[in-house]
Amino acid sequence: MAQADAYPAKPIRVIVPFAAGGPADVIAREMAQSLGKDLGQSLVVENMGGGAGVPALNTVARAPADGHTLLFAASGNVVIQPLLAKNRVDVLTQLAPVGMVTTSPHVLVVSSKLPVRTVKELTDYAKAHPGAMNFASAGVGGLAHLGTELFKRAAGIDARHVPYKGTSQAMTDLASGEVQAMFSSLPSMKGMIDKGTIRVVGVTGPSPSPAYKDIPLIGKEGVPGFEYTTWYALYAPAGTPAAVIARLGKALSGLAADKAFDDRLQAQGVDLHVTSAKELGERTRKESAGWDKVIRESGIELN
């Protein structure tokens, strides 16, 4: 194992559990450039999509615990998918938190064919038509699906979940009125919002976001207490020396002062939100427990 005071001794692999070209990949590469300058070594992004992020997580968990292999994962990869595995996994026994990098809420969008323009109008409509509303998502067990189940319980409505094999067809059916509502990221929906085929009624974040400042908070607009976000964070293999985690954390903290990096994230509807390793560990535990409750109450299982 490399000595912590000599870290990093070689280029660092950053495993991303998504295909190239997507939001995670873009953010990872932007981050890698900035961190590489601080650390004095290249950060090489390696895409490992598929398997709900499990292959990527396992690759990092089994790597030498010397800080030269890292995981840049979305929150769903670490606080949801391990709970849906046949043998449930406690991620923090396999991975060491390094720090959160970004956070972003989802938006709640509805078909323009639905006669609602606010969250309250949506919940009122759903209560007036129990069981008649459909919420789409990109698949069973994803963050948007669990967000839908959380919303249904918080709002006290009866609505059906319709899973798709990706966002594209779900958006098409949302625009046509085949399904009525959906949670997703704002950038993926922007084209149809601009065309007027779907409309935004609220955002899932706990507080106003610079990237979503003109969209009302769902938790303040008719569904008190409702909130969730998606985020990206860095993890290392469990057992990585504390001094190495601290060095990586110091490099991450430099991102907070990188206005150009922040501006590029804002353009993608993402907020720069760097945290310590301790904060990331606490958030990982808290959200895992919260989503576990939603999964159990909803009876969600992967086929």
Side-chain angles (χ1 to χ4, degrees):
M1 181 183 294
Q3 293 299 312
D5 57 2
Y7 177 80
K10 59 184 178 180
I12 300 168
R13 294 172 73 201
V14 180
I15 309 297
V16 178
F18 296 95
D25 179 56
V26 172
I27 295 169
R29 292 178 189 280
E30 294 270 10
M31 175 197 70
Q33 286 190 352
S34 295
L35 294 187
K37 294 174 185 176
D38 187 298
L39 294 167
Q41 286 282 359
S42 298
L43 274 73
V44 181
V45 174
E46 183 177 328
N47 300 97
M48 194 175 292
V54 175
L57 189 153
N58 287 339
T59 296
V60 175
R62 294 166 183 164
D66 59 7
H68 290 97
T69 303
L70 305 175
L71 177 72
F72 184 68
S75 55
N77 299 129
V78 292
V79 301
I80 294 176
Q81 295 305 324
L83 301 174
L84 294 167
K86 186 174 182 181
N87 298 309
R88 290 184 169 215
V89 176
D90 177 3
V91 165
L92 293 181
T93 64
Q94 298 184 321
L95 299 176
V98 175
M100 191 181 302
V101 181
T102 72
T103 184
S104 59
H106 273 177
V107 290
L108 173 55
V109 293
V110 298
S111 171
S112 293
K113 298 183 183 298
L114 199 68
V116 302
R117 292 185 174 275
T118 67
V119 174
K120 187 176 186 308
E121 288 179 0
L122 174 64
T123 56
D124 287 347
Y125 181 90
K127 289 174 181 177
H129 303 82
M133 272 196 64
N134 295 333
F135 278 72
S137 84
V140 173
L143 184 60
H145 176 199
L146 269 65
T148 296
E149 297 300 333
L150 186 64
F151 179 79
K152 286 162 55 179
R153 280 157 180 72
I157 62 172
D158 177 13
R160 191 163 66 94
H161 170 239
V162 181
Y164 287 80
K165 293 181 179 179
T167 303
S168 180
Q169 187 57 49
M171 288 172 56
T172 299
D173 284 0
L174 182 66
S176 71
E178 287 290 318
V179 288
Q180 288 78 49
M182 182 176 178
F183 287 96
S184 191
S185 63
L186 181 60
S188 66
M189 297 287 179
K190 194 171 186 309
M192 287 189 172
I193 292 169
D194 291 344
K195 290 178 183 177
T197 55
I198 61 177
R199 65 173 68 100
V200 182
V201 297
V203 63
T204 67
S207 58
S209 157
Y212 297 75
K213 58 186 176 182
D214 298 324
I215 305 174
L217 299 172
I218 295 172
K220 305 290 186 184
E221 297 289 331
V223 188
F226 175 83
E227 64 176 69
Y228 75 87
T229 61
T230 183
W231 39 267
Y232 291 113
L234 270 181
Y235 294 83
T240 298
V244 171
I245 298 293
R247 179 66 185 95
L248 287 166
K250 182 175 181 293
L252 276 184
S253 67
L255 291 176
D258 189 339
K259 187 177 185 306
F261 180 60
D262 191 13
D263 288 345
R264 290 193 293 272
L265 292 179
Q266 291 290 319
Q268 299 178 57
V270 175
D271 294 325
L272 181 61
H273 186 81
V274 177
T275 72
S276 67
K278 180 181 178 182
E279 289 173 296
L280 175 58
E282 291 171 350
R283 185 156 186 169
T284 302
R285 288 188 187 89
K286 181 181 177 181
E287 292 200 10
S288 291
W291 289 125
D292 188 40
K293 185 172 185 288
V294 173
I295 290 167
R296 291 182 184 278
E297 290 180 349
S298 305
I300 297 171
E301 294 182 359
L302 293 181
N303 294 327

